Amino acid sequence: MKKLALAAACAALSFGVAAPFALLAAPAQAQTVPAAATPARVVQHYAVLVQAGYDDTLAGALELQGAVKAFAAAPSQAGLEAARKAWLAARESYGQTEAFRFYGGPIDDDNGPEGRINAWPMDESYVDSVVGSETAGLVNDRKVAITKKNLAALNERDGEENIATGWHAIEFMLWGQDLSETGPGNRSFEDFVDGKKPNADRRRQYLLVTTELLVDDLRSLTKAWAPAHKGNYRARFERGGTESLRRIFVGLGSLSRGELAGERLEVALASQDQEDEHSCFSDNTHRDAVTNAKGIQNVWTGRYVRRDGSTLQGPSLRELVAAKNGALAERTTAQIAASVAAAEAIQAPFDREITGGADAPGRQRVQKTIDSLTQQSKDLVEAAGAIGITRLTLVNPE
């Protein structure tokens, strides 16, 4: 997660950054809660969605790992394209799981791997050569051992932009710097061929090791939410009652306003700087926005379409809120759908969408998404109040 002072100001609109934010419960309406939509069953189904999301992401990362291994064994343009395609496919699942963050769960508690998995923005020169500095980076420093343990220790060392691991380090290795105004980075596969570029052997090793570390971290998350794994987080979460419901709302609200609308869209819109773009090397930022918005929608509606096309559907927050205030539930559902639609309208490349004056069509599309996400965060606050959840914060619970 990008740590900028502006994020606090963005998040404060709907969710307190450090102080509890009191909520006024909406007037109850005379409706009956469907038998399946009890608080306990909503929490249990949420755990099912989380497990499925991480399982799908792990499956995608394993396919990425297979493509990376094949490419590293015999670098070619076709192999590089296959690895890029696998990275993009795996990100579709991962983006939706970001709705499961921000409340001190397995991914981002004090020992969680989120910083190794998805930290950004990234100083490319920390990892490898860049234009104007051909010997920069860990790849070109043969004194640095390229191992999982070492790269994990080096991640964000001496600066939050010193990203050494995760999705974006892998992205940079596959695409290289984005030096084009009309497309993504265009790293040559020959960067990984011995004799074509210095330290090609280390570049192959770096790509292999960072991908393996990503798989390890994602596997730890699937275990934390797997029902058969004794002593896992899921069992405690399912017993958490109202506190677990509160955490679910904190995750949705924090992603909606503070992270997606704030740090990922609003900061970039204000700076018009490619360096503030989330997936800048692959030009996949527009899809990051869509999948994040869909992740919120998945949790709210209790519905998730898996990577194999099958659908999970179960007791949802929407049903709980509808039993107290049907109009509010309907309004929140419509606003969340509008946010997804607005995000889907953002065009690639994102770094062109954010440039120009206030009347530029791209900037208007991004601003429309920000505005919709901001409104939905307010609706989520009201929805939480309608079912008796009166304290929401962006800090991790004790």
Side-chain angles (χ1 to χ4, degrees):
M1 182 173 67
K2 189 178 180 185
K3 304 177 182 71
L4 292 176
L6 180 58
C10 294
L13 179 61
S14 59
F15 285 73
V17 173
F21 185 84
L23 306 174
L24 297 177
Q29 295 184 2
Q31 296 190 23
T32 302
V33 179
T38 65
R41 286 172 178 164
V42 169
V43 169
Q44 289 169 356
H45 183 62
Y46 172 85
V48 171
L49 296 181
V50 176
Q51 181 195 2
Y54 283 134
D55 283 351
D56 281 355
T57 303
L58 176 60
L62 287 169
E63 290 182 359
L64 169 62
Q65 185 177 39
V68 163
K69 286 182 177 179
F71 171 67
S76 67
Q77 186 60 37
L80 182 57
E81 292 296 337
R84 289 172 176 172
K85 183 177 179 180
W87 187 94
L88 293 169
R91 285 289 289 182
E92 290 291 303
S93 297
Y94 181 77
Q96 296 175 71
T97 70
E98 295 208 84
F100 312 143
R101 290 180 49 197
F102 306 107
Y103 55 76
I107 188 168
D108 55 8
D109 63 14
D110 290 342
N111 298 311
E114 198 281 331
R116 288 194 302 270
I117 290 176
N118 198 43
W120 70 288
M122 178 183 175
D123 177 2
E124 308 98 294
S125 66
Y126 184 64
V127 168
D128 199 1
S129 56
V130 294
V131 172
S133 187
E134 295 301 318
T135 61
L138 302 172
V139 166
N140 294 297
D141 185 352
R142 300 195 74 90
K143 296 178 181 178
V144 176
I146 300 177
T147 65
K148 288 188 291 184
K149 181 178 179 180
N150 204 32
L151 294 187
L154 289 167
N155 190 57
E156 295 186 301
R157 178 181 287 184
D158 301 325
E160 62 183 21
E161 294 188 4
N162 289 346
I163 308 304
T165 67
W167 290 112
H168 299 297
I170 297 168
E171 178 193 13
F172 172 55
M173 297 305 291
L174 293 176
W175 275 273
Q177 287 180 282
D178 181 3
L179 304 174
S180 169
E181 291 191 354
T182 59
N186 190 30
R187 184 191 285 275
S188 171
F189 77 90
E190 292 186 342
D191 286 2
F192 299 86
V193 177
D194 292 334
K196 294 293 185 177
K197 190 159 185 180
N199 297 310
D201 58 327
R202 288 175 58 81
R203 200 164 285 110
R204 295 193 301 271
Q205 180 70 2
Y206 202 101
L207 181 57
L208 288 165
V209 170
T210 50
T211 305
E212 185 177 354
L213 182 58
L214 175 66
V215 168
D216 289 349
D217 283 334
L218 292 172
R219 185 172 282 117
S220 75
L221 296 175
T222 65
K223 289 181 179 178
W225 287 95
H229 190 68
K230 289 186 178 181
N232 62 10
Y233 179 83
R234 177 175 177 165
R236 299 194 302 276
F237 190 88
E238 289 182 341
R239 295 192 300 266
T242 300
E243 170 59 18
S244 291
L245 282 176
R246 187 189 73 83
R247 294 184 183 201
I248 295 171
F249 272 106
V250 167
L252 299 188
S254 299
L255 175 59
S256 178
R257 185 61 183 103
E259 182 73 8
L260 179 53
E263 295 195 10
R264 300 191 179 183
L265 297 180
E266 204 162 35
V267 170
L269 193 65
S271 71
Q272 300 192 35
D273 189 345
Q274 183 191 59
E275 292 301 312
D276 288 323
E277 182 184 0
H278 194 175
S279 295
C280 63
F281 311 116
S282 61
D283 275 345
N284 195 53
T285 302
H286 63 300
R287 289 305 304 170
D288 292 333
V290 171
T291 56
N292 285 177
K294 280 187 175 180
I296 295 168
Q297 186 179 51
N298 295 344
V299 175
W300 173 254
T301 63
R303 182 177 185 271
Y304 170 55
V305 179
R306 302 199 60 174
R307 69 194 302 267
D308 65 1
S310 62
T311 300
L312 294 174
Q313 180 75 62
S316 66
L317 295 175
R318 176 178 59 186
E319 293 172 26
L320 284 183
V321 175
K324 299 294 184 180
N325 188 330
L328 173 60
E330 183 176 345
R331 170 161 50 89
T332 305
T333 301
Q335 191 63 52
I336 290 173
S339 295
V340 174
E344 288 175 333
I346 296 173
Q347 298 179 13
F350 180 82
D351 52 19
R352 294 296 91 198
E353 287 284 89
I354 60 176
T355 60
D359 60 347
R363 288 181 63 82
Q364 290 182 339
R365 286 188 287 267
V366 176
Q367 186 62 58
K368 182 177 180 180
T369 307
I370 293 168
D371 293 344
S372 186
L373 290 164
T374 299
Q375 181 57 52
Q376 88 177 27
S377 71
K378 297 176 183 178
D379 294 340
L380 287 165
V381 169
E382 190 176 352
I387 60 174
I389 297 172
T390 58
R391 293 169 69 88
L392 294 173
T393 72
L394 281 182
V395 299
N396 289 341
E398 297 293 328

